[in-house]
């Protein structure tokens, strides 16, 4: 799979997205119900993520995990710098969480412990379409840190999609309150093609 890594600057030590989610999105008009329709072209990993997350093609988790693990190990050389991997809490409740499947596989492939419940959402309210100021206010009371590290170490946060970085900034703020957290790294499968 061809990747186009994108450096993500933020309150973390270092972070990357493996590629943009889409490479082209052109408005085609509206369907018969008045909903907008788009002609969308995905990056290779964006297409795999779209199929995993929105079309329940759970086999894509293996494909994406291979790319994530390969990037962590071969391109980024991050393995010796991290002690564990934390999954970003999902924004929507689902019976099967695609990101959790992905993080489990990555943890196995790079032989690092993972936590799927380090953080949890207090409400299932969808906040992605809110203005950034409202997102920040809502986040102060919407994410709970469920545990602390039991000893000094550095962590890798893995998320599937990056838009504004609001979620990751909030999680990093909570992690920095933990005296055992040394460094925080971020890896996102795909970045929204709109720079925000």
């Amino acid at each position: 799979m061809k990747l186009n890594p994108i450096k993500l600057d933020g309150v973390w030590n270092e972070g990357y997205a493996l590629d943009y989610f889409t490479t082209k999105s052109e408005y085609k008009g509206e369907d018969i119900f008045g909903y907008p329709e788009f002609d969308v072209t995905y990056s290779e990993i964006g297409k795999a993520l779209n199929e995993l997350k929105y079309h329940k093609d759970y086999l894509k988790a293996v494909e994406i995990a291979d790319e994530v693990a390969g990037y962590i190990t071969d391109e980024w050389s991050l393995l010796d710098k991290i002690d564990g991997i934390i999954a970003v809490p999902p924004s929507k409740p689902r019976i099967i969480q695609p990101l959790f499947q992905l993080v489990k596989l990555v943890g196995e492939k790079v032989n690092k412990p993972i936590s799927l419940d380090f953080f949890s959402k207090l409400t299932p309210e969808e906040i992605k379409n809110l203005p950034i100021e409202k997102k920040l206010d809502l986040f102060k009371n919407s994410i709970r840190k469920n545990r602390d590290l039991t000893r000094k170490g550095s962590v890798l946060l893995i998320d599937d999609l990056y838009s504004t970085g609001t979620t990751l900034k909030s999680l990093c703020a909570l992690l920095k309150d933990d005296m055992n957290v040394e460094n925080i790294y971020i890896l996102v499968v795909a970045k929204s093609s709109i720079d925000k």
Side-chain angles (χ1 to χ4, degrees), residues 79-96:
L79 273 190
D80 293 336
K81 297 178 186 174
I82 60 168
D83 302 289
I85 299 171
I86 298 173
V88 170
S91 54
K92 282 185 180 177
R94 291 180 169 102
I95 293 169
I96 298 173

Side-chain angles (χ1 to χ4, degrees), residues 93-110:
R94 291 180 169 102
I95 293 169
I96 298 173
Q97 288 293 354
L99 181 62
F100 288 177
Q101 287 186 302
L102 177 62
V103 170
K104 283 179 195 172
L105 290 165
V106 171
E108 289 170 12
K109 289 174 185 300
V110 300

Side-chain angles (χ1 to χ4, degrees):
M1 193 178 288
K2 185 178 180 299
L3 301 177
N4 174 38
I6 303 148
K7 191 168 188 341
L8 301 174
D9 293 318
V11 296
W12 42 84
N13 293 82
E14 195 174 359
Y16 292 92
L18 295 182
D19 206 337
Y20 287 105
F21 186 52
T22 60
T23 57
K24 183 181 86 169
S25 181
E26 292 179 4
Y27 178 69
K28 294 192 324 185
E30 296 179 349
D31 67 15
I32 63 170
F33 302 108
Y35 297 114
E37 292 183 310
F38 296 90
D39 182 18
V40 178
T41 304
Y42 295 95
S43 67
E44 284 186 56
I45 203 154
K47 182 170 176 47
L49 181 60
N50 180 61
E51 290 169 4
L52 168 64
K53 190 167 174 156
Y54 302 111
H55 301 283
K56 299 181 181 177
D57 184 351
Y58 298 119
L59 292 176
K60 293 296 178 190
V62 176
E63 203 175 305
I64 296 168
D66 285 341
E67 297 299 329
V68 171
Y71 187 77
I72 290 169
T73 306
D74 304 329
E75 303 298 318
W76 197 359
S77 302
L78 190 66
L79 273 190
D80 293 336
K81 297 178 186 174
I82 60 168
D83 302 289
I85 299 171
I86 298 173
V88 170
S91 54
K92 282 185 180 177
R94 291 180 169 102
I95 293 169
I96 298 173
Q97 288 293 354
L99 181 62
F100 288 177
Q101 287 186 302
L102 177 62
V103 170
K104 283 179 195 172
L105 290 165
V106 171
E108 289 170 12
K109 289 174 185 300
V110 300
N111 196 27
K112 294 288 179 183
I114 63 161
S115 177
L116 304 179
D117 63 351
F118 199 89
F119 297 104
S120 59
K121 290 274 177 120
L122 297 179
T123 70
E125 183 175 349
E126 185 71 44
I127 62 165
K128 288 184 179 170
N129 296 324
L130 293 174
I132 192 155
E133 303 79 33
K134 292 214 186 251
K135 281 185 182 183
L136 291 171
D137 285 343
L138 188 59
F139 259 112
K140 288 176 189 168
N141 299 311
S142 71
I143 294 180
R144 175 177 45 229
K145 185 168 161 267
N146 298 318
R147 62 185 73 242
D148 290 314
L149 295 187
T150 57
R151 62 178 185 263
K152 294 263 185 217
S154 296
V155 295
L156 172 65
L157 282 171
I158 295 183
D159 202 357
D160 49 11
L161 280 171
Y162 179 98
S163 179
T164 62
T166 303
T167 301
L168 292 170
K169 288 173 191 164
S170 300
L171 298 179
C172 286
L174 291 170
L175 282 169
K176 287 178 178 183
D177 288 339
D178 186 333
M179 64 181 192
N180 281 326
V181 174
E182 293 180 324
N183 294 305
I184 304 166
Y185 299 94
I186 304 293
L187 186 69
V188 181
V189 176
K191 182 182 187 298
S192 160
S193 56
I194 302 163
D195 284 347
K196 294 180 184 178

